[in-house]
Amino acid sequence: MITPNTVLSDARRRLDSPLRPGQRMSRAELADAVNVTLDQLYPGRRLTAHYVDFRWLGKLERGEHRWPSEERRNALRHVLGAATDAALGLYSPRRTNERIAAEGTPSPGSLDGMFGGERRGSGVDLVEFASALDQPGIGSSELTAAELACEGLDQDFARTPPDEALRMTQLLMKSVFVHLRRRQTLRHHERLVKLAARLAGLHAWACFDISDDRKAERWYETAASAAHDAKAWGLGAWLSGAQSLIEWHRRDLGRAAELIDRGIYFAGHGSDATTRAWLYALQARAFAGTGNQDGFENSYAMAERAAEHSSERDRRHGMDFAQGILDLRYYCGTSRLLLRQPDQAITELTGSRDALPESHTKARAVLTLFLADAAVESGDPSQAISLTEHALASTIHQPIVPILQQSRRIRRLVHQRDPAAGGKLDDPILAFSDALTTLASKAEP
């Protein structure tokens, strides 16, 4: 007879939703947590065939099947904080009663399984050591849920208005900081520090989007320090690269290059190919900004080589993908603009924009404005005005500083060539500036 697995469904409902404060974890959210945990538990294997969804969990909770694969069981136990399969109502129908009863024994990976037998004969020292490593603190499932929430925020950042991004990062950081002040296992403390650093980086980016540069810089420096202390080299590399963008938009290319070099230093201690490719592309653009054609070519060649091994699994905010690999055309196009090569820039920037999803309105607007810049350089101010007007109109409901800065730059460039034409952008820019001011005031705590 098929009977519902209420033990499993109750275990899920005891967990908080990572994205909906005050509500319980849904089957879809649990499925996401299981899939992330599969990759964490088996880093050297490709486990896409073991990924699950809310329908699969529904069958499991309804009791339609009771014995998933070993990999899925391990991930479920990890997320739900269970020591055994039986603690989640999971068992093999083919097992004898004796073997089912044996499910109650701790798994080999748990502290009880590792030390239970030895504690009786190894004296007090071993017990104290195990206890010190097993301090009560945040549970694995709760920590995984928080990491998933951060991952989701990162993936949706390009579609999220900056005030909403600030609110969500503040909410998650508040919870993380509470747990960081408590005693945790060594592993959980390390994960919390990395999570706090990543959230701080996203928070800094949102601060920059609303023109709070000083606060953004403080958050970036704090986050980079935490990443360094946790030896999270890939995370530190991304943070340094992201911080360099503040200086790049300020046209302080020297300071931007310093931060990029710091990011490459982090990456040299251990990072994924995706982040290395992104940093080399940033470095190539920094060389282009100083007119160093050879430096640009060399760094961009390294970026292209690294991008061949990039993976969307390593994506962080600021990185775009096309056909499964890191898309470097945005950085190549903006570099060509700096090198006074507008025709080549237009080709690269158009390809990059066309590859972006329609929902990434902010990123598409930024690329459109660089195309407007290229139009001015090519002697077509009317095209530049049209592109700028489109970029401003498409993002006025989620305004960010880079778009305002670029629009003002286009207006200055057009005005230099045709003073009367430049005035056509005054009203759209003023409306966008007012919208940004309103949004920034809403984002203040």
Side-chain angles (χ1 to χ4, degrees):
M1 294 180 60
I2 295 176
T3 57
N5 187 348
T6 56
V7 176
L8 179 61
S9 56
D10 288 346
R12 170 176 62 81
R13 294 189 183 103
R14 284 194 292 270
L15 299 180
D16 292 330
S17 166
L19 298 175
R20 299 168 293 123
Q23 298 188 45
R24 303 293 91 185
M25 178 179 276
S26 67
R27 287 173 179 169
E29 289 167 340
L30 176 56
D32 288 341
V34 167
N35 294 337
V36 169
T37 303
L38 281 167
D39 291 332
Q40 293 174 343
L41 294 177
Y42 304 96
R45 294 174 56 184
R46 186 174 182 84
L47 291 176
T48 52
H50 291 271
Y51 285 175
V52 303
D53 59 16
F54 69 94
R55 289 179 287 268
W56 181 86
L57 281 165
K59 291 181 180 180
L60 202 62
E61 291 186 356
R62 291 191 297 271
E64 294 176 17
H65 61 92
R66 291 270 183 169
W67 196 239
S69 67
E70 179 182 357
E71 292 84 357
R72 286 171 170 170
R73 297 198 313 274
N74 288 341
L76 278 167
R77 288 199 312 270
H78 183 86
V79 173
L80 296 172
T84 66
D85 295 325
L88 296 178
L90 304 177
Y91 59 85
S92 170
R94 296 187 296 274
R95 293 191 173 195
T96 63
N97 290 337
E98 290 79 7
R99 293 183 70 186
I100 292 174
E103 289 284 335
T105 59
S107 63
S110 69
L111 283 173
D112 285 342
M114 292 164 61
F115 296 113
E118 290 84 351
R119 283 178 179 174
R120 291 187 289 272
S122 299
V124 177
D125 291 343
L126 185 55
V127 175
E128 289 181 348
F129 177 66
S131 298
L133 294 181
D134 198 22
Q135 290 290 341
I138 189 171
S140 294
S141 57
E142 187 178 359
L143 181 51
T144 300
E147 290 168 335
L148 283 170
C150 179
E151 180 73 20
L153 176 58
D154 194 330
Q155 296 300 314
D156 291 337
F157 206 93
R159 297 185 289 270
T160 306
D163 58 329
E164 181 67 10
L166 284 167
R167 187 189 68 80
M168 295 177 70
T169 52
Q170 286 171 338
L171 185 67
L172 280 170
M173 284 193 296
K174 183 177 180 180
S175 174
V176 170
F177 293 163
V178 166
H179 288 295
L180 276 171
R181 295 187 182 99
R182 297 173 180 170
R183 300 179 71 181
Q184 304 288 345
T185 63
L186 296 175
R187 174 59 179 150
H188 283 183
H189 181 78
E190 180 184 82
R191 288 171 64 184
L192 281 166
V193 171
K194 291 178 181 178
L195 177 58
R198 186 169 186 180
L199 285 168
L202 291 172
H203 190 78
W205 204 309
C207 288
F208 168 62
D209 278 346
I210 63 170
S211 195
D212 198 341
D213 290 3
R214 289 187 178 182
K215 187 177 289 186
E217 287 178 341
R218 291 197 297 270
W219 277 108
Y220 272 129
E221 289 297 335
T222 302
S225 177
H228 183 275
D229 291 344
K231 294 182 172 57
W233 306 118
L235 176 59
W238 169 71
L239 288 166
S240 296
Q243 186 178 357
S244 77
L245 296 178
I246 296 177
E247 307 304 333
W248 188 75
H249 279 282
R250 288 174 171 172
R251 294 296 190 265
D252 188 347
L253 300 181
R255 174 59 177 156
E258 290 176 7
L259 289 165
I260 294 165
D261 287 343
R262 186 176 74 177
I264 293 173
Y265 164 79
F266 271 108
H269 284 70
S271 180
D272 54 85
T274 304
T275 303
R276 290 198 304 274
W278 183 64
L279 284 165
Y280 286 136
L282 289 172
Q283 185 182 57
R285 188 168 64 178
F287 279 126
T290 61
N292 186 339
Q293 177 84 37
D294 290 340
F296 160 73
E297 299 289 353
N298 291 334
S299 291
Y300 194 72
M302 289 191 290
E304 289 184 307
R305 286 195 294 271
E308 291 177 0
H309 305 284
S310 61
S311 168
E312 290 197 63
R313 289 177 56 183
D314 302 318
R315 180 204 298 262
R316 295 184 188 273
H317 180 57
M319 304 175 185
D320 297 311
F321 278 74
Q323 299 180 345
I325 66 171
L326 186 68
D327 189 352
L328 301 173
R329 288 174 292 183
Y330 164 66
Y331 300 100
C332 182
T334 50
S335 296
R336 295 296 182 188
L337 274 178
L338 292 167
L339 292 168
R340 305 296 184 188
Q341 300 166 357
D343 292 340
Q344 292 172 273
I346 289 172
T347 300
E348 300 290 344
L349 293 170
T350 301
S352 179
R353 185 187 60 178
D354 292 347
L356 281 174
E358 291 288 341
S359 57
H360 290 207
T361 52
K362 291 179 291 186
R364 290 177 64 87
V366 168
L367 278 158
T368 299
L369 287 166
F370 280 118
L371 284 167
D373 196 332
V376 176
E377 291 293 324
S378 298
D380 192 351
S382 61
Q383 174 72 356
I385 291 171
S386 176
L387 290 168
T388 304
E389 289 174 336
H390 175 74
L392 290 168
S394 66
T395 53
I396 196 165
H397 296 298
Q398 44 180 329
I400 58 174
V401 164
I403 292 174
L404 179 61
Q405 290 176 335
Q406 285 181 255
S407 299
R408 287 172 171 168
R409 169 179 164 78
I410 300 303
R411 188 207 174 281
R412 287 195 301 271
L413 293 174
V414 170
H415 182 77
Q416 290 170 5
R417 294 171 179 261
D418 186 348
K424 295 179 181 179
L425 292 174
D426 289 347
D427 288 343
I429 289 175
L430 180 61
F432 193 89
S433 178
D434 290 343
L436 180 59
T437 300
T438 301
L439 183 143
S441 64
K442 287 167 51 181
E444 291 178 357

